[in-house]
């Protein structure tokens, strides 16, 4: 075998080692570590070697040499060398003499490279390396500035000018100086970085020292740099502005914002003489700097003075009227970046004005100043809010939200605000309504525009919040404005539909939809045939206009969908005005046939919703509606990429996927079920309608069942879809359930149930005959079973053995078992004693399959979750049996042999400290058994259990379980769920005591508690608590005792 390659690297601490060899060794290691093609073993050695460098005594000398050596090393070597030096500078173990040496060496390098003494600008480092060097200087600053290197700022600043001069005319030095200042801010003052308390304290101390020693000098240097480099080097100007924007948050504002600096900033902002050096980016950087200045935390009155001093409103007004934002606004040359920057500046300005209004006293000078500024800024805010570009509009939404919140909280109580709010609210609401409208360039429904559509709908949600705030401030204004928009648009459409843009119709209908939050406040539009509120009355008027002007005749899909959404939301209108239902349904039927997939899938759901609401009025037109939908009912399955057992009709899958389209089609089947069972439809006609729908489905069954048996995947999927359709039709037909007590929920007629029995038979046939892809078929059958119960009633009971056989096969997963057990709970609860004979026959084989599922070991996280769910469903099933007077089935002659297994399983689950919710439920089941079979409550005398011998059984078998769970090694008495389980265990003991009295106390004293090693005093205390305390008190006592015993 070849020996593995090696670098021959070793830690640098050998005395007498050649210094040059050491430097070469480190350089080679860095080059190898950074080489993507290097041997992996060599690279690993190199990285390990480099990671140990900071802790070595010679690392400072070697890395300084590598960084400062002429001719220069590669950039990666120099960068890594500085990294090591950063670690040295930042280490608490580094002594002060080492730090001074590092300071002197690096300062010498900086003077030779960045000062006017440097031979040529070509020697300047790359920007990346400059930033790294600035970071190293920052580490030195943090350590040495407090007491060792007091002249740090002055020494770095000296690099910007010739000796003895204050003109900051040396570009390399200026740039390096600014980079160092930025690094200092990021290290000690950046609020976005997480810091330890010690780091925060150190940062605050350094900021205090800078304010005391050098803040004035630094602020003056910014003015000098801006003055020197204006119009000469935009990059330096931008770097200087960025530095000011960072430092202004924690330096005295009066040092920074002088008249000189203000004028320099404003000149950069409003400069209208673009040149090749990039003044556009300078202007936007200057705007960002102004915004950062406004973000500085100050008292509201001082902030107002700052806004006026900076002439923010005048600057913004100038920019708004400039060609970039005015003349070019409707062209492709519109400067959207500039508009966003100005919008952010306006947003911060108005937010500060609102804060001042919040804290000012009415009629005070600050209130008057703030109101005046509000008047000046609002038109500017609305200018950006109404911008065609949503990104620009979004910049000022926060300040408008602040303003409207202020009007809501204080508009009525402060006279000066109240005077302004009415006119301002009208302007703002007009702007919001217009911004709700699709812009002229938008297209609806195109795949390429899906992202834009999603962003616009998100904006509409934010605008809606603003509208709602206005509604709470001035309800009449809100209702007047929205009503006017809706009614005017509908009237225009009625006069000449061809001249009304779809965007205006969509806007009117969107606002009408939102108006429901006012009109439906009391739960509906009508109360005793009259409008519930004035807003409801307005909304009813809009609905009359909607149906009378036949808005749905518009061919645009967005308008058609809005029409359906509105009719569904305000279905109360049709209950009160059923004469409009027929015409509305005619439009609905046209829309559900739309070619656009988005319209088709959404409209099918909305059609179903509308039918559910108005079904009582459909008796006369049921046949017409069903016939009109018949061409949409044929099912054509497609093989999806992945069949999910958890898919349902509320799936969020892509609307164009086969699964999503079929899920939407099922809504049509549910709607037809509702139509078939509409009030006024004769039973004979109901049967005819059902046969009309299920006949083609049965024919399809016959065609595909054979291929499905033979493993044809597409045929299996077709059968799956057919079963789902039958189940959904049943759900639409009947709201009744076997346990229903509602007077409006009436079971279907026998003739109808007979038809659905045929459906059940067809599904069972598929379950019994298809042996491939059975999980897919079981999923659909389980879905249908739960729906068929409501239309079959007790007719389903004779079929129950076949359902169980089909849905709980040997290949059923635990998840499937748990789901079906949940369905059986509903059946048992619904039919109660009617199901006794069938349950008596089925119980043992059913439980055997469940026991097999529980006994099968879990192989992963998903398996463990499903196992826990199956355990809980099993216990819940037992509870349903016990709670519905079916307890005899557990101990009947047919099932008595399996009762021991039932008890053993419950005992096992009650002792499982890894699953407290299941253990708690197990104790609940045991407690219910005690109450069911334990006989009457006694205190003295002999127990009288209804199940012979059950008194001794529950004392000897159930009682010890209460201590078995907390005795487990992994039991945590502080776990909240564990405490709940112990609470149920206490309830079990209390239940046993109520049925057996002194017999139980004697057993605890002489056997159970003493056998556990409990001392006599604690035993007596325990028995007193059990016999004398109420259930709640004993539960708390038992929980506390368990906690004490586990300490």
């Amino acid at each position: 075998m070849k020996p593995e390659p090696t670098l021959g690297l070793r830690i640098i601490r050998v005395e007498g080692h050649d210094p040059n060899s050491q430097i070469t060794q480190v350089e080679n290691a860095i080059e190898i570590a950074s080489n993507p093609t290097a041997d992996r073993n060599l690279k690993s050695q190199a990285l390990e070697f480099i990671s140990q460098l900071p802790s070595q005594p010679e690392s400072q000398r070697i890395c300084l040499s590598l960084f400062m050596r002429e001719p220069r090393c590669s950039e990666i070597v120099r960068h890594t060398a500085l990294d090591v030096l950063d670690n040295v500078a930042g280490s608490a173990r580094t002594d002060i003499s080492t730090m001074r040496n590092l300071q002197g060496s690096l300062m010498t390098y900086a003077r030779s490279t960045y000062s006017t003494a440097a031979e040529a600008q070509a020697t300047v480092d790359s920007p990346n390396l400059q930033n790294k060097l600035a970071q190293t200087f920052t580490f030195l600053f943090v350590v040495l500035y407090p007491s060792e290197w007091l002249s740090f700022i002055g020494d770095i600043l000296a690099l910007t000018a010739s000796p003895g001069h204050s003109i900051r005319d040396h570009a390399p030095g200026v740039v390096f100086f600014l980079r160092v200042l930025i690094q200092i801010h990021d290290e000690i003052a950046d609020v976005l970085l997480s810091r330890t308390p010690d780091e925060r304290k150190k940062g605050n101390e350094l900021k205090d020292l800078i304010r005391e020693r050098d803040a004035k000098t630094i602020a003056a240097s910014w003015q000098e740099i801006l003055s020197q480099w204006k119009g000469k080097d935009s990059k330096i100007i931008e770097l200087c502005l960025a530095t000011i924007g960072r430092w202004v948050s924690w330096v005295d504002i009066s040092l920074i914002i002088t008249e000189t600096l203000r004028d320099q900033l404003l000149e950069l902002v409003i400069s209208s003489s673009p040149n090749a050096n990039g003044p556009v980016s300078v202007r936007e950087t200057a705007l960002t700097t102004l915004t950062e200045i406004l973000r500085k935390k100050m008292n509201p009155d001082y902030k107002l003075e700052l806004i006026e001093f900076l002439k923010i409103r005048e600057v913004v007004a100038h920019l708004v009227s400039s060609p970039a934002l005015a003349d070019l606004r409707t062209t492709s040359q519109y400067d959207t970046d500039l508009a966003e920057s100005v919008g952010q500046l306006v947003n911060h300005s108005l937010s500060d004005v609102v804060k001042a209004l919040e804290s000012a006293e009415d009629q005070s000078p600050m209130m008057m100043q703030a109101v005046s500024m509000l008047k000046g800024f609002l038109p500017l805010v609305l200018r950006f809010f109404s911008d065609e570009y949503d990104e620009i509009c979004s910049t000022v939404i926060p300040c408008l939200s602040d303003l409207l919140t202020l009007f809501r909280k204080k508009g009525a109580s402060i006279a000066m605000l109240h005077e302004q709010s009415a006119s301002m609210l009208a302007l703002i609401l007009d702007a919001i309504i217009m911004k709700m409208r699709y812009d002229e360039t938008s297209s609806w429904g195109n795949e390429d525009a899906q992202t834009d559509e999603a962003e616009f709908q998100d904006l509409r949600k934010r605008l809606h919040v603003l509208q709602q705030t206005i509604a709470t401030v001035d309800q009449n204004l809100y209702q007047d404005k929205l009503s006017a928009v809706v009614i005017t648009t509908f009237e225009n459409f009625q006069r000449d539909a061809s001249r009304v843009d779809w965007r205006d119709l969509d806007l009117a209908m969107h606002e009408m939809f939102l108006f429901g939050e006012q009109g439906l406040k009391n739960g509906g539009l009508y109360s005793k045939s009259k409008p519930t509120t004035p807003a409801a009355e307005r909304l009813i008027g809009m609905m009359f206009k909607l149906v009378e002007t036949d808005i749905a005749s518009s061919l645009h899909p967005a308008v058609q969908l809005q029409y359906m959404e509105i009719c569904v939301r305000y279905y109360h209108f049709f209950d009160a005005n059923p004469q409009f239902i027929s015409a509305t349904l005619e439009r609905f039927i046209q829309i559900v046939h739309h070619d656009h997939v988005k319209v088709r899938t959404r409209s099918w759901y909305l059609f179903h919703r509308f039918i559910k609401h108005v079904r009582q009025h459909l008796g006369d037109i049921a046949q017409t509606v069903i016939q009109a939908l018949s061409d949409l009912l044929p099912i054509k399955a497609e093989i999806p990429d992945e069949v999910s057992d958890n898919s349902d009709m509320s799936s969020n899958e892509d609307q164009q996927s086969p699964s999503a389209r079929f899920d939407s089609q099922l809504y049509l089947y549910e709607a037809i079920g509702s139509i078939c069972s509409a009030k006024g439809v004769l039973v004979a006609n109901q049967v005819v309608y059902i046969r009309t729908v299920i006949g083609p489905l049965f024919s399809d069954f016959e065609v595909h069942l054979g291929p499905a048996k033979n493993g044809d995947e597409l045929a299996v999927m077709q059968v799956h879809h057919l079963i789902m359709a039958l189940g959904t039709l049943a759900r639409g037909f009947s709201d009744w359930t076997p346990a229903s007590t509602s007077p409006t929920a009436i079971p279907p007629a026998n003739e109808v149930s007979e038809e659905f029995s045929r459906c059940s038979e067809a599904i069972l046939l598929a379950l019994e005959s298809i042996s491939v892809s059975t999980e897919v078929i079981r999923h659909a059958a389980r879905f249908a079973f739960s729906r068929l119960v409501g239309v079959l009633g007790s007719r389903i009971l004779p079929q129950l053995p076949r359902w169980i056989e089909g849905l709980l096969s040997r290949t059923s997963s635990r998840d499937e078992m748990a789901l079906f057990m949940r369905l059986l709970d509903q059946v048992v609860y619904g039919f109660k004693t009617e199901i006794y004979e069938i349950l008596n026959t089925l119980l043992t084989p059913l439980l055997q399959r469940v026991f097999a599922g529980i006994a099968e070991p879990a192989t992963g996280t998903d398996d463990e979750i499903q196992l826990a769910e199956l355990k809980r469903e099993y216990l819940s099933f037992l509870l349903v049996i016990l709670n519905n007077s079916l307890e005899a089935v557990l101990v009947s002659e047919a099932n008595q042999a399996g009762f021991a297994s039932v008890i053993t399983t419950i005992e096992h689950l009650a002792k499982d400290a890894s699953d407290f919710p299941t253990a708690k439920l197990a104790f609940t089941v045991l407690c219910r058994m005690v109450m069911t079979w334990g006989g009457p409550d006694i205190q003295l005398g002999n127990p009288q259990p209804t199940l012979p011998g059950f008194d001794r059984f529950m004392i000897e078998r159930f009682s010890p379980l209460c201590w078995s769970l907390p005795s487990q090694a992994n039991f945590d008495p502080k776990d909240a769920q564990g405490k709940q389980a112990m609470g149920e265990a206490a309830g079990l003991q209390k239940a046993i005591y109520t049925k057996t009295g002194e017999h139980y106390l004697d057993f605890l004293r002489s056997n159970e508690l003493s056998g556990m090693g409990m001392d006599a005093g604690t035993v007596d205390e325990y028995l007193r608590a059990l016999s004398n305390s109420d259930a709640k008190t004993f539960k708390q006592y038992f929980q506390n005792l368990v906690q004490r015993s586990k300490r």
Side-chain angles (χ1 to χ4, degrees):
M1 292 179 61
K2 284 186 177 181
E4 290 188 348
T6 177
L7 275 171
L9 299 174
R10 57 175 178 267
I11 303 306
I12 307 161
R13 61 180 98 162
V14 180
E15 294 184 14
H17 202 291
D18 180 13
N20 290 330
S21 174
Q22 292 176 341
I23 294 171
T24 302
Q25 189 180 28
V26 172
E27 183 177 8
N28 288 340
I30 296 172
E31 293 284 7
I32 291 170
S34 61
N35 185 354
T37 64
D39 178 85
R40 292 179 62 181
N41 183 52
L42 287 177
K43 196 166 188 174
S44 176
Q45 292 181 56
L47 289 170
E48 175 66 21
F49 177 78
I50 293 168
S51 69
Q52 297 182 44
L53 276 177
S55 62
Q56 304 307 313
E58 294 295 318
S59 61
Q60 178 198 350
R61 174 186 61 78
I62 293 171
C63 291
L64 269 175
S65 299
L66 285 172
F67 176 72
M68 299 172 63
R69 190 178 72 189
E70 293 291 345
R72 292 181 175 178
C73 301
S74 67
E75 183 148 328
I76 186 62
V77 171
R78 301 182 75 213
H79 193 286
T80 305
L82 285 177
D83 255 335
V84 175
L85 293 177
D86 288 348
N87 282 305
V88 172
S91 173
R93 298 192 302 267
T94 305
D95 58 76
I96 198 66
S97 62
T98 300
M99 296 296 290
R100 288 172 184 160
N101 179 55
L102 192 55
Q103 167 200 341
S105 299
L106 290 179
M107 199 62 220
T108 298
Y109 173 81
R111 291 191 181 101
S112 67
T113 307
Y114 296 103
S115 74
T116 54
E119 294 181 3
Q121 190 163 328
T123 62
V124 173
D125 299 311
S126 68
N128 182 52
L129 206 56
Q130 286 184 47
N131 283 330
K132 187 61 189 173
L133 180 59
Q135 186 180 48
T136 305
F137 268 95
T138 299
F139 284 126
L140 290 173
F141 166 85
V142 169
V143 177
L144 299 177
Y145 184 70
S147 58
E148 292 290 328
W149 196 358
L150 279 62
S151 62
F152 180 92
I153 298 295
D155 290 348
I156 305 297
L157 182 59
L159 303 175
T160 65
S162 302
H165 294 80
S166 61
I167 300 175
R168 310 299 170 191
D169 58 355
H170 186 59
V174 170
V175 170
F176 185 69
F177 170 67
L178 294 173
R179 291 187 193 278
V180 171
L181 291 185
I182 289 174
Q183 290 289 345
I184 288 174
H185 164 82
D186 292 349
E187 179 66 24
I188 68 173
D190 191 339
V191 295
L192 297 179
L193 294 179
S194 177
R195 293 181 172 84
T196 66
D198 288 342
E199 288 171 338
R200 285 196 295 272
K201 180 182 178 183
K202 179 70 172 177
N204 290 335
E205 291 171 351
L206 287 168
K207 285 188 285 187
D208 289 340
L209 288 174
I210 291 173
R211 295 183 188 110
E212 179 185 336
R213 297 175 186 171
D214 293 306
K216 189 172 182 179
T217 301
I218 292 170
S221 74
W222 291 332
Q223 296 179 23
E224 294 163 0
I225 291 170
L226 291 175
S227 177
Q228 176 65 30
W229 294 98
K230 181 185 64 178
K232 298 177 182 178
D233 192 322
S234 62
K235 297 301 181 185
I236 289 179
I237 297 297
E238 288 180 41
L239 195 59
C240 185
L241 292 173
T243 308
I244 296 171
R246 281 172 162 86
W247 280 60
V248 72
S249 63
W250 54 277
V251 174
D252 187 349
I253 192 74
S254 63
L255 295 177
I256 299 176
I257 307 305
T258 62
E259 287 191 16
T260 301
L261 185 62
R262 177 201 64 186
D263 293 343
Q264 288 173 326
L265 280 173
L266 298 187
E267 185 178 357
L268 292 171
V269 169
I270 65 177
S271 175
S272 58
S273 56
N275 59 51
N277 290 330
V280 172
S281 59
V282 168
R283 179 176 57 193
E284 292 178 13
T285 306
L287 282 168
T288 302
T289 302
L290 279 175
T291 303
E292 291 299 324
I293 291 170
L294 290 183
R295 287 165 62 94
K296 184 176 178 66
K297 294 180 180 179
M298 301 171 64
N299 290 334
D301 52 345
Y302 293 148
K303 185 58 74 70
L304 294 184
E305 291 179 13
L306 178 63
I307 293 172
E308 291 199 333
F309 178 76
L310 292 174
K311 302 180 181 179
I312 300 296
R313 194 190 66 78
E314 292 85 348
V315 170
V316 172
H318 174 86
L319 291 172
V320 166
S321 61
S322 68
L325 299 186
D327 300 344
L328 302 177
R329 183 176 178 182
T330 57
T331 72
S332 59
Q333 296 176 301
Y334 181 45
D335 193 340
T336 55
D337 291 336
L338 175 62
E340 279 194 61
S341 297
V342 180
Q344 289 166 357
L345 181 62
V346 171
N347 178 67
H348 284 290
S349 300
L350 186 61
S351 290
D352 287 328
V353 171
V354 170
K355 289 175 184 176
L357 289 168
E358 287 177 344
S359 59
E361 297 288 336
D362 195 14
Q363 306 298 332
S364 66
M366 185 167 75
M367 173 65 75
M368 290 187 283
Q369 182 186 17
V371 168
S372 174
M373 294 174 74
L374 175 60
K375 291 178 183 178
F377 272 108
L378 186 61
L380 299 173
V381 171
L382 295 180
R383 150 64 182 88
F384 291 99
F385 180 76
S386 60
D387 197 282
E388 178 183 353
Y389 290 88
D390 295 344
E391 298 86 350
I392 297 169
C393 166
S394 297
T395 60
V396 294
I397 288 179
C399 70
L400 274 180
S401 179
D402 292 343
L403 178 60
L404 294 176
T405 301
L406 173 70
F407 284 152
R408 177 173 60 83
K409 291 180 177 179
K410 295 191 173 183
S413 60
I414 299 178
M416 290 190 71
L417 277 181
H418 185 67
E419 293 169 6
Q420 301 300 322
S421 63
S423 59
M424 289 186 177
L425 286 173
L427 290 172
I428 295 170
L429 184 55
D430 285 339
I432 293 172
I433 293 172
M434 289 312 300
K435 195 61 192 171
M436 287 273 197
R437 184 181 185 271
Y438 279 95
D439 63 49
E440 298 298 330
T441 62
S442 60
S443 58
W444 188 94
N446 292 342
E447 288 187 28
D448 296 340
Q450 286 183 358
T451 301
D452 292 341
E453 172 72 14
E455 290 174 350
F456 178 64
Q457 293 305 327
D458 181 64
L459 176 64
R460 271 187 165 179
K461 292 176 183 177
R462 299 172 67 191
L463 296 173
H464 173 53
V465 173
L466 298 179
Q467 271 194 180
Q468 287 303 103
T469 308
I470 292 176
T472 60
V473 177
D474 193 335
Q475 191 176 77
N476 291 332
L477 171 68
Y478 175 84
Q479 294 179 9
D480 290 343
K481 287 280 187 184
L482 266 65
S483 299
V485 169
V486 174
I487 298 299
T488 301
T489 304
F490 288 177
E491 288 176 347
N492 291 340
F493 183 83
Q494 191 174 27
R495 280 193 296 270
D496 188 353
S498 63
R499 301 187 63 181
V500 179
D501 194 307
W502 72 267
R503 297 171 182 83
D504 295 320
L505 275 178
D506 173 82
L507 171 65
M509 297 176 78
H510 181 68
E511 291 291 11
M512 182 178 173
F513 185 86
L514 298 180
F515 197 88
E517 295 186 11
Q518 295 285 312
L520 299 176
K521 273 188 174 178
N522 293 339
L525 293 175
Y526 296 93
S527 176
K528 297 180 180 178
S529 302
K530 293 183 179 180
T532 54
T533 62
E537 187 174 6
R538 287 177 183 260
L539 193 50
I540 292 168
M542 296 181 203
M543 285 299 297
F544 274 110
K545 275 290 182 185
L546 178 79
V547 294
E548 289 170 352
T549 56
D550 196 17
I551 296 296
S553 63
S554 169
L555 298 179
H556 197 279
V559 175
Q560 293 176 334
L561 276 184
Q562 283 276 25
Y563 173 81
M564 295 185 77
E565 298 275 5
I566 288 171
C567 291
V568 170
R569 184 170 199 188
Y570 306 133
Y571 68 90
H572 311 86
F573 172 82
F574 295 97
D575 281 336
N577 302 279
Q579 69 272 21
F580 293 114
I581 291 177
S582 180
T584 301
L585 274 177
E586 185 177 346
R587 287 300 185 192
F588 269 46
I589 289 170
Q590 292 173 0
I591 299 171
V592 298
H593 284 84
H594 203 283
D595 293 334
H596 196 292
V597 63
K598 180 177 179 181
V599 177
R600 190 163 61 245
T601 52
R602 180 63 180 170
S603 67
W604 291 350
Y605 166 73
L606 293 171
F607 180 83
H608 147 258
R609 287 280 309 280
F610 187 69
I611 291 296
K612 292 285 281 187
H613 291 314
V614 302
R615 64 191 294 187
Q616 61 179 325
H617 304 292
L618 298 180
D620 297 337
I621 60 174
Q623 183 177 5
T624 304
V625 176
I626 293 171
Q627 289 176 345
L629 295 173
S630 60
D631 61 317
L632 297 175
L633 297 181
I635 292 171
K636 184 179 179 181
E638 298 178 52
I639 302 298
D641 293 334
E642 183 177 325
V643 179
S644 171
D645 194 42
N646 296 321
S647 63
D648 56 35
M649 292 173 65
S650 62
S651 173
N652 292 322
E653 294 176 73
D654 181 77
Q655 292 173 335
Q656 298 187 38
S657 71
S659 178
R661 288 198 300 272
F662 174 66
D663 286 347
S664 297
Q665 191 179 21
L666 289 178
Y667 288 120
L668 294 178
Y669 278 93
E670 186 168 351
I672 287 177
S674 297
I675 296 169
C676 291
S677 60
K679 184 179 179 181
V681 178
L682 298 176
V683 172
N685 288 338
Q686 289 182 6
V687 172
V688 171
Y689 299 157
I690 293 170
R691 288 176 179 173
T692 301
V693 178
I694 67 176
L697 298 179
F698 284 173
S699 298
D700 220 0
F701 253 114
E702 293 176 4
V703 171
H704 290 92
L705 194 57
K709 291 179 183 178
N710 296 327
D712 185 306
E713 188 178 359
L714 184 59
V716 170
M717 187 56 61
Q718 183 73 11
V719 172
H720 166 275
H721 284 15
L722 294 170
I723 294 172
M724 295 283 286
L726 291 173
T728 306
L729 179 70
R731 177 166 67 179
F733 193 93
S734 177
D735 294 328
W736 176 80
T737 60
S740 175
T741 57
S742 171
T744 60
I746 302 172
N750 288 332
E751 297 90 333
V752 172
S753 295
E754 184 63 35
E755 293 302 317
F756 280 108
S757 289
R758 295 170 57 209
C759 299
S760 179
E761 191 65 36
I763 297 169
L764 286 170
L765 179 62
L767 264 178
E768 292 165 348
S769 58
I770 297 177
S771 58
V772 294
S773 301
T774 52
E775 187 176 352
V776 174
I777 301 301
R778 287 198 301 269
H779 163 253
R782 191 166 54 247
F783 172 91
F785 174 80
S786 65
R787 277 77 180 169
L788 286 168
V789 171
V791 289
L792 293 181
S794 59
R795 286 173 178 265
I796 204 170
L797 296 181
Q799 296 177 336
L800 198 56
R802 295 170 65 193
W803 281 106
I804 294 176
E805 181 67 26
L807 292 175
L808 288 183
S809 72
R810 291 181 178 83
T811 59
S812 295
S813 67
R814 291 194 184 97
D815 191 41
E816 290 183 84
M817 290 184 188
L819 288 170
F820 188 66
M821 294 292 287
R822 201 173 302 155
L823 292 179
L824 280 182
D825 289 351
Q826 298 172 18
V827 174
V828 172
Y829 174 74
F831 294 106
K832 296 183 169 59
T833 54
E834 285 184 78
I835 202 176
Y836 178 86
E837 291 300 331
I838 293 174
L839 190 60
N840 190 43
T841 304
L842 296 175
L843 186 64
T844 295
L846 171 66
L847 293 182
Q848 285 174 349
R849 295 191 184 183
V850 174
F851 294 157
I854 292 175
E856 186 180 341
T859 57
T861 303
D862 289 344
D863 264 3
E864 290 174 357
I865 293 172
Q866 292 179 9
L867 175 59
E869 187 67 21
L870 178 59
K871 291 174 180 177
R872 287 192 281 272
E873 289 302 331
Y874 159 67
L875 294 170
S876 296
F877 179 65
L878 295 178
L879 269 181
V880 170
I881 290 174
L882 292 167
N883 288 334
N884 287 279
S885 304
L886 290 167
E887 64 275 3
V889 78
L890 293 171
V891 291
S892 69
E893 185 177 350
N895 299 304
Q896 195 169 27
F899 185 63
S901 297
V902 171
I903 296 296
T904 302
T905 308
I906 299 172
E907 289 174 331
H908 172 74
L909 298 178
K911 295 186 288 186
D912 188 356
S914 65
D915 187 358
F916 287 134
T918 301
K920 175 188 173 185
L921 191 56
F923 280 117
T924 303
V925 173
L926 295 173
C927 189
R928 185 61 192 165
M929 286 182 171
V930 169
M931 303 306 292
T932 301
W933 290 312
D937 296 352
I938 66 167
Q939 289 185 344
L940 299 173
N942 294 320
Q944 303 170 32
T946 58
L947 199 63
F950 194 71
D951 53 333
R952 297 305 303 173
F953 186 83
M954 59 188 178
I955 288 175
E956 295 172 0
R957 293 284 294 273
F958 291 0
S959 179
L961 294 174
C962 300
W963 287 101
S964 295
L965 178 62
S967 65
Q968 301 295 317
N970 58 339
F971 179 82
D972 181 3
K974 295 181 180 178
D975 186 285
Q977 292 181 325
K979 289 185 68 174
Q980 291 176 358
M982 286 295 90
E984 289 298 315
L988 174 60
Q989 294 174 82
K990 196 70 178 174
I992 295 172
Y993 172 71
T994 61
K995 302 299 181 182
T996 59
E998 290 294 330
H999 293 267
Y1000 184 38
L1001 298 182
D1002 290 342
F1003 175 81
L1004 289 173
R1005 180 182 290 108
S1006 59
N1007 293 84
E1008 187 171 324
L1009 298 181
S1010 58
M1012 291 165 47
M1014 189 177 292
D1015 62 82
T1018 305
V1019 169
D1020 291 341
E1021 175 190 291
Y1022 187 88
L1023 298 180
R1024 282 195 302 272
L1026 176 60
S1027 57
N1028 298 331
S1029 303
D1030 58 29
K1032 183 178 180 181
T1033 304
F1034 179 70
K1035 171 182 174 180
Q1036 188 173 9
Y1037 168 81
F1038 183 66
Q1039 289 171 331
N1040 292 337
L1041 181 63
V1042 169
Q1043 281 193 328
R1044 292 200 307 269
S1045 68
K1046 295 292 287 186
R1047 287 175 184 169

